[in-house]
Amino acid sequence: MINNISILKNITILYAEDEASLREITLNILKGFTKKQFVAQDGKEGLDLFKENEEEIDLIITDVNMPHMNGLEMIKEIKQINPNIPIIVATAFSNTEYLLEAIDIGVDKYVLKPIDMKKLLQTMSQSLLYHELKDLYIDKLTHLPNRNRLKKDLAQTNEDLMALINIDKFSTLNDLFGENNGDKILSEFSDNLKEHFTKDEYKIYRIEADKFAVVSKEYNKDINEFKKLCKEFANNIQKESIIIDDNEVDLNVTIGIAKGDGNRAYKYSQRVIAYARSKFEQVMIYDDSFNIQESFEENIKWVKKIKNGLKDGNFKGFYQPIVDNKTQEIYKYEALIRFIEDNGDVIAPFHFLDIAKKAKLYPHVIKVMLKEALLLINEKQKRVAVNISFEDIASSETQHFIYEELKNEPEATKLLEFEILESEEISDIQIVKDFIKEVKALGCTVGVDDFGAGYSNFNMLTNLDIDFVKIDSSLIKEIDHSKNQEIIVNTISNFSKEFGFTTVAEFVSSKEIYEKVTSLGIDYSQGYYFGKPVSFEEV
């Protein structure tokens, strides 16, 4: 019984043998046990095959006496490239001097001719340990060196020039085409990388998922030349679709480039790729002036502050008045979240809200906001509007919390309004419809916030059972001297009247803007002209 033979099905071998009949017999048997075979008729051909396919080959089986370059000469060359590759030497008993030389150059396994196939397979299966270790350094899908290999290689150099390459929105491609096709895309993409960044000059790694790294073997290479090469690759990828099963798949990439000792080059290229995305740059070189480190440190600080603030009650509701345009009297307040520092400083959401969302802490913030709004209603009998995103509505946990709070406060719901953020993409309109139906049944009023920004859709308004439309600040803040904005706002106002929605103008910051929105028939105004957000005590 041969042990561990099953592992051989995952192994790719290089088999070098000059004797045709023996080569054919042995190869036919090896095909039944191994995944892939590269076959050479002499040492020179074997060496060339190894150089071309080094990343795929797991194990070498070679004869010693071969023309052009004998097996030992081939082994010496291969060991210069990869000293850890397992090599099995097949030799006649009479050639013991070759065997001793083979041991000297690092070959620790051999089989005697004529080859006993059972013995050969047992010897091959003993390469399992190396194969497992190799898996720690090789990506199974693309056969590229992986993140572990990159870190090891970078640790051994004093200076590196590298690019981190990220496929944009790759998770969307997985959702569209399935993970199997996603793997095909990654495999094809890695082939494109190998073709563009030649192995003589660059080493390519697959870091994780859709992230790849390219490291220049010439550390003194001009960084702007490298950027030009990366830019050419990005443009080629964008212009030429990847073909998967006769289907064209369009890709875009973002590339971050950095230079420095191994650890810094890797760290900086990671940082600059995110910065490049925020600046809508396809390829960007790291520069200390970007202050990326400071922004990371600020993010880390805020994640900790948000977590502690949720426990310690640092989040409070502030309330901005919304007035009736006919009477200029306060009709309701919009609840806005603020972070109160221990010294009493009030921090606007601009500093922490995006971080809370990325850190998956935002659902806790919306819960605080709802409780704060209900407190103002109960204590001061004021009408209050609370912002809610599609992400909140789609969360069963957040939904459950909202419904339970409303059921526990039946007297407060008639003064509570929800403003659904229209600037966020609503991927499932039925979820929103169900939410509106539920909260309206509990006594609340519902409207759409930020209309006119992002994904504005008049048809969507007619499909939702809403009570009001809040017009985005981008259309209001210059309406007193922008004819285009006036036309758009007038259209929204007339449309809303036709369907029975009331309208609210945001960012009414001056008398001129107030008079303009009033003349267009807008029902309510919110902005600094009528008042800034104030604390619970100041309402």
Side-chain angles (χ1 to χ4, degrees):
M1 186 73 180
I2 301 172
N3 297 322
N4 295 330
I5 291 302
S6 61
I7 187 61
L8 299 182
K9 71 179 186 297
N10 297 317
I11 286 178
T12 296
I13 64 165
L14 169 61
Y15 177 42
E17 170 62 59
D18 66 318
E19 189 181 330
S21 58
L22 176 59
R23 185 173 66 243
E24 186 177 347
I25 293 168
T26 307
L27 180 61
N28 285 333
I29 295 172
L30 290 174
K31 281 181 177 178
F33 288 93
T34 58
K35 179 176 72 175
K36 188 174 180 181
Q37 310 80 32
F38 293 101
V39 185
Q41 299 181 33
D42 56 59
K44 184 179 184 307
E45 188 179 352
L47 179 60
D48 290 341
L49 279 171
F50 183 79
K51 286 179 178 178
E52 290 171 16
N53 304 283
E54 176 196 351
E55 290 160 359
E56 283 191 74
I57 295 170
D58 301 301
L59 174 70
I60 297 170
I61 304 169
T62 181
D63 185 21
V64 174
N65 288 320
M66 293 186 293
H68 304 302
M69 176 185 282
N70 71 37
L72 298 183
E73 291 170 337
M74 180 188 79
I75 291 168
K76 285 178 185 177
E77 294 287 337
I78 286 174
K79 285 287 185 180
Q80 290 291 319
I81 300 168
N82 182 351
N84 299 314
I85 186 81
I87 301 176
I88 299 171
V89 168
T91 182
F93 184 75
S94 58
N95 292 334
T96 51
E97 73 276 12
Y98 287 127
L99 197 55
L100 291 172
E101 188 179 348
I103 292 169
D104 285 341
I105 61 176
V107 175
D108 59 356
K109 299 190 190 305
Y110 69 93
V111 290
L112 294 174
K113 288 184 173 182
I115 294 176
D116 179 335
M117 289 309 302
K118 180 177 177 180
K119 176 68 175 176
L120 176 61
L121 293 171
Q122 284 177 329
T123 305
M124 290 170 64
S125 70
Q126 290 166 7
S127 68
L128 171 64
L129 176 61
Y130 169 78
H131 192 63
E132 287 180 341
L133 291 174
K134 186 173 183 285
D135 284 347
L136 293 175
Y137 292 107
I138 297 294
D139 174 60
K140 291 181 180 177
L141 175 65
T142 62
H143 302 294
L144 291 172
N146 62 14
R147 185 174 181 231
N148 294 333
R149 181 81 251 176
L150 173 64
K151 288 195 166 185
K152 187 177 172 104
D153 289 349
L154 292 179
Q156 296 172 349
T157 55
N158 294 322
E159 186 175 17
D160 287 284
L161 172 62
M162 69 175 294
L164 194 64
I165 301 174
N166 200 182
I167 302 174
D168 296 338
K169 298 183 179 178
F170 184 74
S171 60
T172 303
L173 295 177
N174 265 341
D175 291 341
L176 278 173
F177 304 116
E179 289 190 8
N180 286 339
N181 284 323
D183 285 348
K184 291 178 183 177
I185 292 168
L186 291 172
S187 185
E188 185 75 20
F189 183 81
S190 70
D191 289 342
N192 289 344
L193 278 170
K194 292 176 198 173
E195 188 177 334
H196 190 82
F197 298 94
T198 58
K199 65 187 297 183
D200 293 338
E201 296 182 74
Y202 301 96
K203 192 158 186 182
I204 304 166
Y205 304 79
R206 183 188 178 201
I207 308 301
E208 58 181 341
D210 57 323
K211 292 181 181 175
F212 295 79
V214 177
V215 179
S216 173
K217 292 181 179 179
E218 182 190 335
Y219 305 133
N220 294 323
K221 188 177 197 66
D222 182 78
I223 196 167
N224 289 307
E225 281 184 28
F226 187 44
K227 180 183 179 181
K228 184 179 178 183
L229 187 67
C230 290
K231 185 75 174 173
E232 287 171 1
F233 175 77
N235 289 336
N236 290 343
I237 285 292
Q238 190 171 346
K239 284 187 292 187
E240 299 174 13
S241 301
I242 284 180
I243 308 298
I244 302 296
D245 297 334
D246 296 327
N247 297 308
E248 292 187 358
V249 180
D250 296 320
L251 298 182
N252 290 292
V253 296
T254 304
I255 303 177
I257 299 170
K259 194 169 190 176
D261 70 62
N263 287 331
R264 276 202 307 244
Y266 183 40
K267 185 166 60 175
Y268 291 165
S269 63
Q270 284 182 303
R271 291 175 182 173
V272 76
I273 200 167
Y275 189 72
R277 275 214 177 92
S278 70
K279 299 294 181 184
F280 303 101
E281 291 282 343
Q282 191 181 47
V283 183
M284 184 177 278
I285 298 173
Y286 177 84
D287 189 302
D288 288 336
S289 67
F290 295 160
N291 296 322
I292 298 173
Q293 177 61 29
E294 287 81 350
S295 68
F296 282 139
E297 290 172 355
E298 184 72 8
N299 292 346
I300 292 167
K301 181 186 78 173
W302 265 111
V303 169
K304 186 175 181 180
K305 285 176 72 169
I306 292 167
K307 286 182 177 179
N308 291 337
L310 289 165
K311 288 187 293 185
D312 300 338
N314 292 81
F315 287 98
K316 294 294 180 185
F318 269 53
Y319 306 89
Q320 187 169 26
I322 297 173
V323 304
D324 185 319
N325 282 340
K326 291 179 181 176
T327 65
Q328 293 194 26
E329 292 180 355
I330 295 173
Y331 169 67
K332 63 180 177 182
Y333 291 85
E334 181 182 358
L336 303 164
I337 198 71
R338 296 290 186 268
F339 184 90
I340 313 300
E341 297 277 17
D342 293 336
N343 64 3
D345 288 348
V346 178
I347 309 299
F350 167 79
H351 295 280
F352 60 81
L353 214 53
D354 281 344
I355 297 169
K357 288 178 180 177
K358 289 174 182 174
K360 308 297 182 186
L361 296 169
Y362 185 69
H364 301 290
V365 176
I366 191 68
K367 291 176 183 179
V368 171
M369 204 65 260
L370 182 59
K371 283 183 173 292
E372 290 284 290
L374 290 170
L375 180 66
L376 187 73
I377 291 170
N378 288 325
E379 294 289 323
K380 303 199 176 186
Q381 295 301 302
K382 303 295 185 184
R383 176 173 286 276
V384 183
V386 176
N387 283 325
I388 188 165
S389 68
F390 173 71
E391 188 178 350
D392 298 323
I393 295 170
S395 164
S396 57
E397 181 188 344
T398 305
Q399 269 193 35
H400 178 74
F401 173 82
I402 292 171
Y403 298 154
E404 289 302 307
E405 287 292 310
L406 299 185
K407 288 171 185 175
N408 292 334
E409 301 278 1
E411 293 301 313
T413 56
K414 64 180 181 292
L415 292 177
L416 181 66
E417 300 186 355
F418 286 98
E419 297 180 357
I420 299 170
L421 295 169
E422 200 273 338
S423 57
E424 296 191 3
E425 185 173 12
I426 296 173
S427 58
D428 191 334
I429 197 74
Q430 189 59 48
I431 292 175
V432 180
K433 285 183 175 182
D434 292 342
F435 174 79
I436 293 173
K437 182 179 179 181
E438 190 75 26
V439 296
K440 291 190 79 166
L442 292 167
C444 300
T445 303
V446 182
V448 169
D449 192 11
D450 294 336
F451 193 79
Y455 301 91
S456 295
N457 185 333
F458 282 102
N459 186 53
M460 184 195 74
L461 296 184
T462 64
N463 284 315
L464 297 178
D465 182 18
I466 59 171
D467 303 291
F468 65 90
V469 175
K470 182 180 278 189
I471 303 168
D472 187 67
S473 60
S474 63
L475 296 175
I476 300 297
K477 58 186 178 182
E478 295 179 356
I479 196 172
D480 55 326
H481 57 268
S482 171
K483 190 63 180 175
N484 288 341
Q485 290 183 3
E486 180 182 339
I487 291 169
I488 295 170
V489 172
N490 189 47
T491 301
I492 295 171
S493 176
N494 291 333
F495 178 89
S496 298
K497 283 187 177 71
E498 289 292 325
F499 284 90
F501 311 141
T502 57
T503 46
V504 183
E506 291 185 302
F507 216 86
V508 178
S509 57
S510 68
K511 181 182 178 183
E512 290 76 17
I513 292 176
Y514 165 69
E515 289 176 346
K516 178 60 71 175
V517 298
T518 302
S519 72
L520 295 174
I522 305 300
D523 300 298
Y524 300 98
S525 288
Q526 176 181 358
Y528 279 15
Y529 181 61
F530 293 104
K532 296 181 180 181
V534 295
S535 67
F536 176 90
E537 292 76 18
E538 295 173 291
V539 171

